[in-house]
Amino acid sequence: FVNGKLHWSLDREDCGYIGSLDLATGMYGQIKKPKCDEDSESELESTLYVFQGCLCLLCDENDDHTDVWIMKEYGVTESWTKVFTILINKPSRSSVFTPLCRSEKGEVLLLLGSKLVLYNPENATCVDISFRDQEIRAYYAFVYTESLVSPCY
């Protein structure tokens, strides 16, 4: 939910676009995704999120390289910006990163499967979050945003 609209990735035929529904007007729309890989003719697998209040795409380059793109100015295709790259080996191909928030130092809190990790994009280091030497398991972690729209998880 960004800018008063619900968003979702479109199916294979329109995989270069994000669908939107304006809840105030009931109008549907489309937003063009960024070209994650300039060298490839086909679209890379990408996952849509909201990160720092902006539309965010995670583009899987391969198993150990995921680019994070943010649309800095809503609705402006040219404002898609690659903000950092996650250089972590995923436990499996089906594993998904969920970016939760970013600190003032630039570190990113990620949900990786059921683990919370703190990732530093500057030096590509990753630290498991633990409390009193106990690993924290977070199966449904998300950033709370006050809204009348229910996040159906």
Side-chain angles (χ1 to χ4, degrees), residues 43-151:
E43 291 291 324
L44 294 175
E45 183 178 326
S46 62
T47 309
L48 181 64
Y49 291 100
V50 175
F51 184 63
Q52 298 178 307
C54 300
L55 287 180
C56 172
L57 274 179
L58 272 63
C59 298
D60 288 335
E61 296 283 332
N62 53 46
D63 288 340
D64 64 350
H65 179 147
T66 302
D67 290 331
V68 179
W69 291 76
I70 289 180
M71 180 177 256
K72 291 190 172 188
E73 188 176 340
Y74 184 82
V76 179
T77 302
E78 295 77 23
S79 74
W80 280 111
T81 305
K82 183 168 79 169
V83 288
F84 58 90
T85 300
I86 301 171
L87 299 170
I88 301 174
N89 286 323
K90 294 182 183 180
S92 70
R93 184 73 178 135
S94 63
S95 294
V96 176
F97 296 110
T98 304
L100 299 173
C101 61
R102 193 168 191 178
S103 74
E104 291 177 3
K105 295 179 185 178
E107 298 168 317
V108 181
L109 183 63
L110 299 171
L111 180 62
L112 174 56
S114 63
K115 287 177 33 174
L116 284 173
V117 295
L118 191 60
Y119 178 71
N120 185 334
E122 293 294 319
N123 57 19
T125 57
C126 184
V127 177
D128 287 349
I129 303 295
S130 62
F131 181 72
R132 296 185 184 172
D133 299 325
Q134 298 293 316
E135 187 176 282
I136 296 174
R137 291 281 184 199
Y139 295 99
Y140 297 106
F142 57 92
V143 176
Y144 172 77
T145 303
E146 188 173 346
S147 173
L148 296 176
V149 178
S150 174

